[in-house]
Amino acid sequence: MFQAVLDAYGLHAGKCTIEPFGSGLINHTWKVYQEGIAYILQEVNTVVFREPVHIAHNIRAIKEYLDQTAPEYLFIAPIKDLNGDDFIVVNNRFYRIFPFVEKSCSVDFVHQPEQAYHAARQFGKFTRMLRAFNVQKLKPTIENFHNLPLRVAQFKKALEQASQKRISEAKFAIGEIIRHYGIEAQYVHLLDSGALNLRVIHHDTKISNVLLQAETGAGLCVIDLDTVMPGYFISDVGDMMRTYLSEANEEEKDFSKIAIRTDVFAAIHKGYMEEMDQVLTSTEKQFFIYSGKFMIYMQAVRFIADFLNGDIYYKTNYPKHNLIRGLNQIDLLNKYIAKESEFEGIIKKINDFHE
Ligand code: GN1
Ligand code: MG
């Protein structure tokens, strides 16, 4: 496989070193070196991304736009192969190669608020750079990816079809998801009211999807552009809340370790707003705090639905893995909701200062 893929790019397998790279669960990634130059080789998971050509289409359209409007902005598009294509298909598998950004690094956890600040700035900057880009030119790379009503409908269907054993094991989680149906109702109301604008959204804002300068830790650019598609800002801000606020992540089984860091909340707000303050409408800004509830709840719904379905989507390492992940997200959600008035206080203080 490597031979055929590398050939297409004029690289020579015999002269390369190839090693697995990164911590992604969906795609396969390798780092390739040849004669002192490093590349990132990736195979796209076509079970999850059913139309990989949509990914290539979106990245190309954005790259062309940015080359015209902001050539200094660091945007990591795939390298073209010898035929000028930005991906290659070998044995029905879909591969692409990216340049490796030298002197960059990434982290898997937010240890300090500054890291959350730098990441939030980069995700905000990305959407800001593309504020005048016609979002209708982008194709959905996963249909209904962050469509909460659909995710809840999938949960209800899973509940109907699940075994009695799984239903009784997940009893508490199911009750919690039902207790929080209001989060979905609020989303439906939000969309109906037209309060949110369709924008170019990243949809996977975990900290490892930002490249940082190795020396200073400052933000360089965003990566992992497969879920870049039209969406709402609450997806990006909400996924930062979901994955940065607690030091313990969704894999943690000891929920006493899940705790909300308000200084990280303030850092996400500062970084994102430094870029997006002039872009978001005042109505959209009212849903900054809601975004965390939206994303944490949706993730809980997805994990529990997958548990009820018999673990068919997310990779699992032990029998109740998805149930524990779902319970973890429910715990995070309840702790987030308990902090809402503190979050409001933080935002009010910033707004009062600017007035
Ligand atoms: C999946 O594998 P990863 O971490 O890139 C999922 C996200 C979830 C995340 C939860 C395409 O992303 O939506 O938030 O797991 N991506 C897809 O860990 O489903
Ligand atoms: Mg991803």
Side-chain angles (χ1 to χ4, degrees):
M1 172 285 283
F2 286 125
Q3 179 75 56
V5 176
L6 296 174
D7 277 354
Y9 289 87
L11 295 164
H12 304 285
K15 292 187 194 163
C16 289
T17 61
I18 303 170
E19 57 195 50
F21 188 77
S23 54
L25 285 183
I26 302 270
N27 296 328
H28 277 141
T29 309
W30 299 268
K31 190 170 175 182
V32 176
Y33 281 103
Q34 181 180 304
E35 290 156 350
I37 302 178
Y39 307 87
I40 293 293
L41 166 65
Q42 210 172 38
E43 179 190 343
V44 177
N45 179 334
T46 49
V47 176
V48 171
F49 295 99
R50 290 177 180 281
E51 307 267 13
V53 290
H54 286 181
I55 298 176
H57 164 92
N58 288 353
I59 297 179
R60 197 178 322 116
I62 290 175
K63 169 91 176 123
E64 281 167 11
Y65 175 84
L66 289 170
D67 281 348
Q68 296 290 321
T69 58
E72 72 292 345
Y73 177 71
L74 186 56
F75 183 76
I76 314 293
I79 295 171
K80 292 200 185 300
D81 72 3
L82 297 179
N83 292 325
D85 296 326
D86 28 27
F87 62 90
I88 152 148
V89 182
V90 176
N91 294 337
N92 261 329
R93 291 164 178 257
F94 187 99
Y95 299 89
R96 68 257 165 105
I97 287 187
F98 295 95
F100 180 81
V101 180
E102 293 298 337
K103 296 187 184 146
S104 71
C105 67
S106 66
V107 294
D108 283 325
F109 295 96
V110 172
H111 298 291
Q112 290 119 18
E114 291 70 40
Q115 295 169 320
Y117 162 79
H118 285 299
R121 260 198 85 172
Q122 288 305 315
F123 287 112
K125 183 174 184 182
F126 175 69
T127 296
R128 179 175 65 76
M129 299 306 278
L130 295 162
R131 68 196 178 286
F133 176 85
N134 179 2
V135 64
Q136 305 298 342
K137 285 189 181 165
L138 299 184
K139 302 184 174 169
T141 59
I142 300 177
E143 290 285 350
N144 291 308
F145 187 39
H146 284 185
N147 180 339
L148 181 57
L150 182 96
R151 297 301 186 182
V152 170
Q154 288 171 337
F155 161 78
K156 288 177 181 168
K157 194 170 164 210
L159 193 51
E160 274 169 32
Q161 297 176 347
S163 68
Q164 271 314 315
K165 180 164 180 278
R166 289 210 176 215
I167 291 178
S168 67
E169 284 169 342
K171 193 163 180 259
F172 175 75
I174 294 166
E176 285 294 279
I177 286 174
I178 293 171
R179 185 167 75 84
H180 287 299
Y181 273 166
I183 297 173
E184 182 212 3
Q186 200 177 346
Y187 178 81
V188 172
H189 176 75
L190 246 181
L191 286 208
D192 285 351
S193 69
L196 300 180
N197 291 307
L198 218 44
R199 304 182 180 283
V200 181
I201 296 298
H202 185 284
H203 289 108
D204 191 6
T205 56
K206 65 170 78 81
I207 193 81
S208 55
N209 282 341
V210 179
L211 289 188
L212 306 168
Q213 276 173 22
E215 254 178 54
T216 65
L220 263 180
C221 64
V222 301
I223 54 171
D224 191 0
L225 306 171
D226 300 334
T227 52
V228 169
M229 58 183 133
Y232 304 108
F233 90 97
I234 58 171
S235 284
D236 280 1
V237 171
D239 207 40
M240 289 194 267
M241 305 284 196
R242 187 179 82 77
T243 57
Y244 303 177
L245 290 181
S246 166
E247 206 156 1
N249 70 8
E250 68 197 19
E251 298 296 330
E252 182 59 59
K253 298 174 202 165
D254 177 358
F255 300 164
S256 71
K257 292 189 180 149
I258 300 175
I260 303 283
R261 297 174 291 184
T262 41
D263 55 351
V264 174
F265 174 89
I268 295 171
H269 185 275
K270 184 171 191 285
Y272 197 76
M273 282 306 177
E274 270 181 29
E275 298 289 340
M276 287 290 284
D277 193 44
Q278 305 292 311
V279 177
L280 294 179
T281 65
S282 54
T283 317
E284 282 177 306
K285 287 177 196 170
Q286 290 170 17
F287 297 95
F288 196 88
I289 296 172
Y290 171 76
S291 69
K293 281 198 289 192
F294 165 70
M295 282 302 295
I296 300 168
Y297 181 62
M298 183 157 63
Q299 195 61 58
V301 168
R302 291 176 67 192
F303 281 143
I304 298 302
D306 198 35
F307 175 74
L308 293 172
N309 284 332
D311 308 315
I312 52 177
Y313 187 85
Y314 293 107
K315 275 188 205 161
T316 55
N317 304 328
Y318 59 90
K320 292 187 186 166
H321 201 159
N322 275 321
L323 175 59
I324 300 290
R325 284 168 172 154
L327 286 166
N328 166 308
Q329 295 293 286
I330 288 165
D331 188 82
L332 178 66
L333 176 65
N334 289 332
K335 285 172 179 162
Y336 183 91
I337 291 171
K339 290 274 184 189
E340 261 183 297
S341 57
E342 242 180 276
F343 296 155
E344 277 159 19
I346 291 170
I347 293 181
K348 184 167 185 312
K349 221 162 139 189
I350 297 164
N351 291 343
D352 289 350
F353 182 76
H354 284 296
E355 262 165 24

